[in-house]
């Protein structure tokens, strides 16, 4: 009599998590997250956050702070914002406690408050504030590069611009548009500096400084941008023939490795930036940010009787009013300033009374930086940036998801429905944006989700299901990719799902821009201003 080859699963089996070979731990174990850190993933943001919350409840604030800081070492993650918020709350609590101690001491000693004790207390407060500043400044994303070998004048800054690693997103198209600079005065255009193939970074920086000084000397009130490119083959020139010349076509600056920028309305110093991805990066990012805000404005107007919000801050509200996770920085100047009219001071121009989203929101770039985005340097010419809403397309046959924003097309592998529960074709709109949504099964929707009605585009920790057909109808994306996708898909974004979608034509100049790097570059610094989790007890019922 043959023995059975299958066995019934144990009722508790779904609660077990495999962490190493034959080692399993139960989610119901009080030490579950401690064991995750110990045996599975020492850097797990979720485990450290939960441990921090427990330590905080127990009153062990130093231990809580340690775990919150460990969470913030992984960016992006669905727990980064919560940990950042918790760190600020602990800092405020510490300041409040110190103030309370001071009052108690003053009350105890009366008018004869010990001078030494007062000095010691003030010093303690100052030390804590300094430590807080150091802690918060550690989250910056801009790295300072080394200066030229022979040193650099204090009036110059040098920076390295690099994409963030760790995302599987890859670019398909992101470039300047091939429009000519007709009608723009030569001294309002970007400049091009052609260098010999063997020119090192130190020498290139010296030449860039000399050339930008000459341009500033002609007119200190005008903004200036000089892109440096290395020639190839026999096209090299001796240094004596090197000089910056006005750019005639945006394609001339593709592949630039460095740029010198002077914007007197923003700073009184010239900034030299090393462009790891090529010159178009800042322009592409600004286009992405422009269309990101415009798409959110269109969705807001559709929900509010055709009226735009009085302020862009109204787009960034707690769930479910989170049309955006943040108002992005304008990438050329790095500014988040919002102005009612164009003045070239960086940031954005927002006109809530405008008739359409394209007219309501435009970049407020310095004149010399407008090339390739908007030109000439006038408010009327800003119509040269047409409104192209952010959109997502999913090709079921190829198991891929494409995000198109501001001329950039970025890709991620995607899982789709099982043949018995196929993902439906059609065009859907993002109705909900939620971090770590709860489902009938814990963690079924991963790090974040974009609700489309009965289905959703959501994260998953099941890497094997990404790129396959295993879901009940939803679109599955790996958690790391989902976090990057979530930041750049506003509420109201159209999501088209089809058997196949046309391949996006590759364009030059993307320089390795990926979605994770774009999200990090556009995210403003400082404490998160929006809570994007659903209220406790909310359970979502997407197909999964």
């Amino acid at each position: 009599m043959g023995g059975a080859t299958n066995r019934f699963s144990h009722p508790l089996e779904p609660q077990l998590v495999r962490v190493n070979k034959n080692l399993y731990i139960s989610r119901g174990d009080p030490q579950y997250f401690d064991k995750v850190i110990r045996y599975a993933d020492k850097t797990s943001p979720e485990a450290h956050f939960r441990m921090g919350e427990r330590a905080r409840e127990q009153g062990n604030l130093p231990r809580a702070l340690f775990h919150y800081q460990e969470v913030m070492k992984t960016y992006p993650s669905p727990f980064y914002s919560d940990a950042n918020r918790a760190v600020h709350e602990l800092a405020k609590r510490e300041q409040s406690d110190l103030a309370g101690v001071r009052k108690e001491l003053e009350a105890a000693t009366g008018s004869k408050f010990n001078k030494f004790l007062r000095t010691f207390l003030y010093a303690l407060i100052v030390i804590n504030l300094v430590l807080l500043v150091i802690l918060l400044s550690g989250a910056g994303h801009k790295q300072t590069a080394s200066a030229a070998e022979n040193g650099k004048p204090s009036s110059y800054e040098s920076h390295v611009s690099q994409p963030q690693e760790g995302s599987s997103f890859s670019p398909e198209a992101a470039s300047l548009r091939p429009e000519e600079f007709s009608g723009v005065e030569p001294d309002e255009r970007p400049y091009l500096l052609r260098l010999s193939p063997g020119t090192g970074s130190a020498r290139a920086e010296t030449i860039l400084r000399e050339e930008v000084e000459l341009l500033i000397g002609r007119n200190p009130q005008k903004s200036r941008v000089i892109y440096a490119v290395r020639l190839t083959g026999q096209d090299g020139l001796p240094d004596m023939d090197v000089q910056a010349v006005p750019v005639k076509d945006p394609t001339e600056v593709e592949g630039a490795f460095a740029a010198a920028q002077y914007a007197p309305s923003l700073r009184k110093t010239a900034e030299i930036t090393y462009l790891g991805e090529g010159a178009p990066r800042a322009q592409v990012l600004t286009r992405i940010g422009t269309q990101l805000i415009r798409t959110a404005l269109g969705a807001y107007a559709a929900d509010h009787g055709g009226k735009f919000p009085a302020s862009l801050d109204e787009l960034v509200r707690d769930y479910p009013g989170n049309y955006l996770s943040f108002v992005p920085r304008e990438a050329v100047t790095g500014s988040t300033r919002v102005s009612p009219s164009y003045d070239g001071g960086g940031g954005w121009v927002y006109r809530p009374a405008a008739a359409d989203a394209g007219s309501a929101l435009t970049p407020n770039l310095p004149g010399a930086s407008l090339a390739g985005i908007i030109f000439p340097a006038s408010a009327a010419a800003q119509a040269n940036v047409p409104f192209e809403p952010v959109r997502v397309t999913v090709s079921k046959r190829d198991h891929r998801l494409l995000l198109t924003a501001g001329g950039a097309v970025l890709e991620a592998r995607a899982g789709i429905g099982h043949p018995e529960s196929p993902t439906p074709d059609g065009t859907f709109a993002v109705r909900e944006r939620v971090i770590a949504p709860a489902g009938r099964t814990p963690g079924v929707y991963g790090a974040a989700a974009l609700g489309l009605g009965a289905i959703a585009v959501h994260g998953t920790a099941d890497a094997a299901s990404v790129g396959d057909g295993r879901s009940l109808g939803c679109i599955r994306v790996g958690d790391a990719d989902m976090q990057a996708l979530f930041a750049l898909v506003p509420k109201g974004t159209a999501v088209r799902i089809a058997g196949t979608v046309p391949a996006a034509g590759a364009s030059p100049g993307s320089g390795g821009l990926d979605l994770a790097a774009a999200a990090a570059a556009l995210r403003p610094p400082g404490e998160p201003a929006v809570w994007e989790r659903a209220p406790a007890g909310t359970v979502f019922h997407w197909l999964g």
Side-chain angles (χ1 to χ4, degrees):
M1 189 172 179
T5 58
N6 296 324
R7 66 176 180 85
F8 291 102
S9 62
H10 193 280
L12 296 180
E13 188 171 328
Q15 296 296 321
L16 296 178
V17 177
R18 183 178 182 178
V19 295
N20 188 5
K21 294 185 178 180
N22 295 324
L23 178 61
Y24 294 80
I25 54 178
S26 171
R27 290 184 179 274
D29 187 342
Q31 300 299 319
Y32 171 75
F33 291 111
D34 183 46
K35 292 178 180 178
V36 167
I37 295 173
R38 189 179 308 172
Y39 301 115
D41 183 2
K42 294 182 180 180
T43 64
S44 170
E46 179 183 10
H48 278 292
F49 181 76
R50 301 304 181 196
M51 293 288 288
E53 293 287 88
R54 185 179 4 172
R56 190 175 180 181
E57 291 174 0
Q58 296 172 347
N60 190 345
L61 301 188
R63 190 66 181 172
L65 181 60
F66 166 77
H67 284 294
Y68 291 141
Q69 290 172 334
E70 290 296 305
V71 174
M72 295 174 66
K73 290 180 180 179
T74 302
Y75 181 87
S77 84
F79 299 94
Y80 182 92
S81 298
D82 293 343
N84 192 11
R85 191 192 308 272
V87 168
H88 282 269
E89 290 174 354
L90 290 177
K92 291 179 181 178
R93 178 173 174 177
E94 184 174 2
Q95 292 180 15
S96 177
D97 291 345
L98 288 173
V101 170
R102 180 182 182 280
K103 289 181 179 180
E104 291 180 4
L105 288 173
E106 288 180 339
T109 57
S111 59
K112 297 180 180 180
F113 185 78
N114 187 281
K115 183 178 180 181
F116 171 78
L117 200 55
R118 182 191 298 273
T119 304
F120 173 77
L121 183 59
Y122 286 159
L124 188 61
I125 294 174
V126 171
I127 291 172
N128 277 275
L129 291 176
V130 170
L131 291 176
L132 176 62
V133 171
I134 294 174
L135 172 65
L136 298 180
S137 64
H141 304 295
K142 202 170 188 181
Q143 296 177 311
T144 302
S146 59
E149 294 174 0
N150 296 326
K152 63 184 182 69
S154 59
S155 60
Y156 287 86
E157 301 173 10
S158 299
H159 299 288
V160 176
S161 179
Q162 296 290 353
Q164 193 174 38
E165 299 178 354
S167 172
S168 62
F169 279 94
S170 60
E172 287 206 1
S175 69
L176 293 174
R177 302 186 178 190
E179 299 140 341
E180 294 184 356
F181 297 97
S182 56
V184 185
E185 293 299 323
D187 62 352
E188 293 180 343
R189 304 176 189 173
Y191 281 72
L192 180 66
L193 186 65
R194 296 184 176 93
L195 301 173
S196 298
T199 306
S201 296
R203 178 58 181 159
E205 185 171 327
T206 299
I207 299 174
L208 272 172
R209 290 175 184 166
E210 294 173 350
E211 292 299 303
V212 78
E213 281 181 350
L214 290 175
L215 293 178
I216 294 173
R218 295 177 188 173
N219 191 334
Q221 305 305 316
K222 284 189 176 292
S223 297
R224 307 288 188 178
V225 175
I226 304 177
Y227 291 120
V229 299
R230 290 191 180 96
L231 300 175
T232 58
Q234 303 299 318
D235 297 329
L237 299 172
D239 284 351
M240 68 179 62
D241 297 327
V242 172
Q243 61 179 347
V245 296
V247 174
K248 297 179 180 179
D249 189 281
T251 58
E252 291 182 323
V253 301
E254 290 175 357
F257 70 93
Q261 183 170 15
Y262 171 71
S265 60
L266 300 177
R267 60 175 66 90
K268 298 303 180 183
T269 60
E271 182 181 57
I272 296 178
T273 303
Y274 290 94
L275 305 164
E277 312 76 57
R281 173 184 167 87
Q283 285 88 340
V284 172
L285 286 170
T286 294
R287 278 202 172 109
I288 292 174
T290 301
Q291 308 301 6
L292 182 67
I293 302 174
R294 287 173 171 176
T295 302
L297 285 171
Y300 182 97
D303 293 342
H304 295 81
K307 295 183 179 180
F308 295 128
S311 166
L312 294 183
D313 290 338
E314 294 184 36
L315 299 175
V316 185
R317 298 298 188 198
D318 292 347
Y319 171 89
N322 54 329
Y323 290 86
L324 290 172
S325 295
F326 50 81
V327 175
R329 294 191 290 182
E330 174 268 294
V332 172
T333 65
S335 175
T336 57
R337 173 175 173 263
V338 179
S339 173
S341 60
Y342 174 78
D343 58 17
W348 308 103
V349 176
Y350 179 52
R351 309 178 185 89
D356 59 87
S359 302
L361 192 284
T362 49
N364 192 14
L365 299 174
S369 298
L370 297 173
I373 303 178
I374 48 179
F375 54 87
S378 66
Q382 296 191 42
N384 284 317
V385 186
F387 178 24
E388 298 174 353
V390 175
R391 64 182 186 274
V392 174
T393 55
V394 177
S395 173
K396 295 195 292 184
R397 187 186 72 177
D398 301 327
H399 294 96
R400 65 175 184 161
L401 179 148
L402 302 176
L403 172 74
T404 305
V409 181
L410 303 121
E411 179 180 356
R413 287 186 60 75
I416 62 172
H418 188 274
E420 296 179 358
S421 55
T423 299
D425 290 358
T427 300
F428 307 83
V430 174
R431 300 180 182 180
E432 294 178 293
R433 304 175 66 255
V434 57
I435 293 290
R440 287 164 290 188
T441 303
V444 65
Y445 300 126
L450 304 171
L452 309 177
I455 64 173
V457 178
H458 64 76
T460 179
D462 183 5
S465 70
V466 177
D468 203 349
R470 300 188 186 182
S471 80
L472 297 178
C474 287
I475 306 298
R476 293 183 179 180
V477 179
D479 271 346
D481 290 343
M482 189 64 215
Q483 292 166 24
L485 181 68
F486 183 87
L488 295 184
V489 176
K491 189 175 181 180
T493 297
V495 179
R496 179 192 170 203
I497 304 173
T500 60
V501 296
S507 299
S510 62
L513 177 67
D514 63 35
L515 200 61
L522 294 175
R523 184 183 297 273
E527 185 176 358
V530 60
W531 178 261
E532 299 189 275
R533 292 176 178 269
T538 303
V539 178
F540 294 89
H541 298 280
W542 298 304
L543 292 178

